[in-house]
Amino acid sequence: MKNTLKVQRAIKDLTQEDLAKLLGVSRQTINSIEKNRYVPSTVLALKLSKVFEIPVNAIFELQDEDL
Amino acid sequence: MRDICEWERNKLQRWGKFQLPNAYKKIGWAIIIGAFLLMIGKKFVEEPSWVKPVLRNIMLLGFLMVSISKEKIEDELMASLRATSYRLALIIGVLYALVQPYVTYAIESLLDPGNAELDNGYFQVLLYILLVQILFFNALKRNS
């Protein structure tokens, strides 16, 4: 699964630390998601969607190996 | 019946989430170091037979406290890494418990053929499982 988290963060002018504080997670978690090392839970994905004011599908996208 | 299932589900979910606050990690390490120093110190003095098992149990308690203490920010990534580390620790711990007595027996048989024993105490196995869990959890955190 790939994601556009870094791009969305740049659009909103948020650092990883800022976003982590908004979501109540660690900066390491945001970094791991951005690097595709960790797939967040549905709850966290929906929280990201709420912060960026876009649908979850606009942040996360399935790749061939996920299907 | 449904009420019992619901009660069981709620209890299991609550117990499954049990963790100690982050401050207990330092207390755990202090207990481990204290027990370790006392175990070394007791070699130089005459002590009753119950001291060694009690110190071992105190040390295990310290490792358990470190193992189940929360991180400063305990979020879903930490929960995921923790679950992986417990899974690995359990598998490696069981394999260790199965293999280690034979390795010890083989070595003791070579060094002291008359007195070799096929033994594996609970202390070694539990210590190994807890150590592996703590080491794997820290390694996973570093690489996540």
Side-chain angles (χ1 to χ4, degrees), chain A residues 26 28-29 32 37-38 41, chain B residues 73 75-78 141 144:
Chain A
S26 66
Q28 191 181 6
T29 301
S32 295
R37 285 197 293 251
Y38 176 65
S41 68
Chain B
I73 301 175
D75 59 8
E76 60 175 63
L77 174 65
M78 289 302 126
K141 256 193 330 184
S144 70

Side-chain angles (χ1 to χ4, degrees), chain B residues 5-130:
Chain B
C5 288
E6 188 69 27
W7 178 85
E8 194 177 57
R9 191 180 305 121
N10 290 338
K11 285 285 177 198
L12 285 173
Q13 278 175 354
R14 196 181 301 167
W15 292 338
K17 285 177 185 168
F18 175 76
Q19 279 185 292
L20 293 171
N22 178 252
Y24 280 82
K25 190 168 276 189
K26 280 181 186 159
I27 298 170
W29 282 118
I31 289 171
I32 293 163
I33 293 165
F36 181 72
L37 292 175
L38 285 171
M39 279 166 106
I40 292 172
K42 79 172 182 56
K43 288 185 193 298
F44 304 105
V45 288
E46 216 31 57
E47 99 284 357
S49 59
W50 54 265
V51 173
K52 190 179 175 183
V54 167
L55 284 176
R56 283 179 161 194
N57 287 354
I58 290 171
M59 188 185 251
L60 285 177
L61 199 66
F63 274 111
L64 183 65
M65 283 171 83
V66 173
S67 176
I68 62 172
S69 295
K70 286 180 184 173
E71 291 301 295
K72 279 186 183 142
I73 301 175
E74 184 76 24
D75 59 8
E76 60 175 63
L77 174 65
M78 289 302 126
S80 164
L81 299 180
R82 203 177 285 282
T84 307
S85 69
Y86 279 118
R87 192 169 61 239
L88 289 168
L90 179 73
I91 295 166
I92 294 170
V94 170
L95 291 175
Y96 172 81
L98 290 173
V99 171
Q100 191 270 341
Y102 297 101
V103 175
T104 308
Y105 182 77
I107 293 168
E108 282 183 4
S109 298
L110 287 172
L111 298 175
D112 189 9
N115 293 316
E117 285 178 24
L118 195 63
D119 182 35
N120 196 352
Y122 77 95
F123 175 74
Q124 280 179 314
V125 176
L126 291 180
L127 182 71
Y128 192 75
I129 289 175
L130 287 165

